[in-house]
Amino acid sequence: MDLSFTREHIAFRDEVRAWIQQAMPPAIRAKAAVGASFDMDEVMQWHRILYEKGWVAPHWPKEYGGTGWDATRRFLFREELEMSGAPNLSPFGLSMVGPLLIQFGSDAQKARFLPKILSGEEVWCQGYSEPNAGSDLASLQCRADDDGAGHFVVNGQKTWTTYAQYADWIFCLVRTDSSGKKQEGISFLLIDMKSPGVEVRPMLTIAGTPAFCETFFDNVVVPKENLVGPLHGGWTLAKALLGHERTLIAAVGDSRRMIRKVKRIAARTMAGGRRLLDDPGYRARIARLEVKLRGLQMANYRALAGAQLGRAPGPESSILKIRGSEILQEAYVLAMEVMGHNSLSWFNEPGVVSDEEQPVAPGFNYARATTIYGGTNEIQRNVIAKLILGLPTR
């Protein structure tokens, strides 16, 4: 297996890197330089810039608006975006429901939804988790009942619906049958967030952002043509979508950028008359983290090489998810320790800490979620035990 990049791929990476720096608006570039968070208007502004360039959905087939790049170019493009600190685009339309519609949707659904996902005209959110059905997703209770007149009537609650307050549409797993195994009575439904009976309640996270929401459905009427795939067949679609989500969560570029920030902060922090970066203890910890990240990067390259050969992501995506989320958390922990007392507050007055240090504490708190969302790391270890190691389930 060849894990090195060709001359053409290296030239492509250089082209992407230069374009990102040229195309990024000054206000976004300033935030990206210090790792600050972006509001939804800035995210959508960057979405439209990538759309106009034709690079907003490089992983989509070319006939639906993709770039036609091979798997290596798609990987390099994503890594350069992460390294630049550019806004992360909302994944729910571009990386989740869009590819799912291409694979399982009807011609009418593709024609209706895909162009507006690409252009950013319509924003999506995900309706999977419920108060008692997160890691055990098959236990979901949100119901969709046939009204006999061409509609489903949806009742129930979803939780952790990220940025639902900005979404035009939500893709939902709903229970349409309770008579058999719980996985066999679930369907995949597209719901207009402007429908009467939909209520969104944002929650302020410990990171200080209204990232998560509770979403309630009270007799929401949904046309039957918004069912994706077969009735009661949503579990297969759900698994396909989650596998793709976990592969993306490796986020090697994000961790590389964070470790570089740790080095910069340690280089200007004095302790005992010398730079913290020169302290052997901190140097060893940074080195150990970089070795772990290099291992993750090589595992990601192995998955990439498989993709180049036409293999779909398998259970190895669970390994990438676990290690990627843990390494990012470790990088934030190290940054907090290097900052010392400066890290104790994340709502400082301007000038109290540097612009680069200001986002560290909120990022540390938000990173606690990385081992939970996209399927908890405990669930991923069960997947590895069963599908890779062949261990018994009991």
Side-chain angles (χ1 to χ4, degrees):
M1 183 177 293
D2 184 4
L3 299 182
S4 59
F5 296 119
T6 66
R7 187 177 302 171
E8 290 77 14
H9 283 141
I10 293 172
F12 170 81
R13 182 179 63 191
D14 293 342
E15 176 194 347
V16 168
R17 185 177 298 171
W19 180 83
I20 290 172
Q21 289 305 313
Q22 174 271 323
M24 206 181 287
I28 291 180
R29 187 184 301 118
K31 281 192 169 183
V34 297
S37 60
F38 298 96
D39 59 36
M40 183 56 77
D41 287 342
E42 291 165 327
V43 171
M44 295 312 299
Q45 181 185 6
W46 185 237
H47 180 122
R48 288 188 289 274
I49 290 171
L50 289 171
Y51 170 70
E52 289 167 4
K53 178 67 174 173
W55 288 0
V56 76
H59 52 295
W60 286 23
K62 199 166 185 177
E63 62 266 34
Y64 293 109
T67 59
W69 293 341
D70 59 23
T72 300
R73 283 177 170 80
R74 296 197 299 272
F75 172 83
L76 291 172
F77 177 66
R78 179 174 178 80
E79 192 169 61
E80 287 303 318
L81 285 176
E82 291 175 347
M83 288 295 294
S84 74
N88 287 321
L89 302 188
S90 173
F92 305 109
L94 293 169
S95 299
M96 296 183 184
V97 74
L100 208 73
L101 288 173
I102 291 171
Q103 184 176 0
F104 296 100
S106 66
D107 289 342
Q109 288 169 342
K110 294 174 186 175
R112 163 63 184 83
F113 293 109
L114 294 180
K116 294 188 177 183
I117 292 174
L118 271 183
S119 67
E121 188 175 344
E122 291 180 342
V123 178
W124 287 74
C125 62
Q126 180 188 48
Y128 271 25
S129 296
E130 297 182 9
N132 295 306
S135 296
D136 182 17
L137 186 58
S139 293
L140 64 88
Q141 297 298 314
C142 184
R143 293 194 55 82
D145 297 303
D146 189 341
D147 71 352
H151 306 92
F152 293 107
V153 179
V154 179
N155 283 283
Q157 178 186 352
K158 296 291 178 180
T159 192
W160 311 125
T161 40
T162 306
Y163 292 126
Q165 69 270 47
Y166 305 115
D168 301 292
W169 286 83
I170 183 171
F171 54 91
C172 270
L173 291 178
V174 292
R175 184 156 299 288
T176 45
D177 182 29
S178 302
S179 61
K181 289 177 60 177
K182 55 187 182 181
Q183 290 89 347
E184 296 173 350
I186 293 173
S187 298
F188 194 99
L189 206 57
L190 313 178
I191 301 175
D192 187 340
M193 292 292 279
K194 295 183 290 295
S195 304
V198 177
E199 181 184 0
V200 175
R201 300 177 189 171
M203 297 180 286
L204 192 64
T205 71
I206 194 171
T209 60
F212 301 134
C213 300
E214 292 179 300
T215 304
F216 298 85
F217 302 91
D218 181 15
N219 289 317
V220 176
V221 176
V222 180
K224 280 191 173 180
E225 56 260 33
N226 288 7
L227 174 71
V228 183
L231 185 64
H232 313 319
W235 192 245
T236 298
L237 279 68
K239 289 189 295 183
L241 189 147
L242 282 174
H244 192 72
E245 180 183 8
R246 287 166 191 159
T247 303
L248 297 175
I249 287 173
V252 172
D254 287 340
S255 291
R256 285 177 62 191
R257 187 161 47 85
M258 194 61 206
I259 292 173
R260 288 183 181 181
K261 174 183 281 195
V262 170
K263 289 179 178 178
R264 289 194 297 271
I265 297 173
R268 60 173 179 263
T269 301
M270 302 300 292
R274 66 180 178 185
R275 301 187 314 162
L276 209 50
L277 188 61
D278 297 327
D279 181 281
Y282 276 108
R283 291 181 69 86
R285 291 184 62 186
I286 293 171
R288 280 196 292 272
L289 194 54
E290 287 187 313
V291 169
K292 290 180 183 179
L293 181 60
R294 183 65 173 163
L296 174 65
Q297 190 174 22
M298 296 311 294
N300 215 346
Y301 286 173
R302 283 172 60 91
L304 179 64
Q308 279 286 90
L309 298 173
R311 292 200 291 267
E316 70 271 19
S317 62
S318 294
I319 299 175
L320 299 177
K321 197 275 179 178
I322 291 172
R323 296 303 290 154
S325 57
E326 291 177 343
I327 289 171
L328 186 61
Q329 287 186 348
E330 281 190 55
Y332 271 108
V333 168
L334 193 53
M336 295 283 282
E337 293 183 11
V338 168
M339 288 174 61
H341 59 77
N342 282 346
S343 69
L344 295 179
S345 172
W346 50 92
F347 297 113
N348 296 299
E349 293 295 324
V352 173
V353 299
S354 71
D355 289 345
E356 188 171 53
E357 294 177 33
Q358 181 65 41
V360 170
F364 165 84
N365 282 288
Y366 191 79
R368 300 302 92 193
T370 60
T371 50
I372 299 172
Y373 61 56
T376 67
N377 283 15
E378 287 78 10
I379 292 295
Q380 303 315 310
R381 290 187 174 91
N382 283 339
V383 171
I384 293 168
K386 182 178 179 181
L387 299 181
I388 296 180
L389 301 178
L391 298 177
T393 54
R394 294 180 182 275

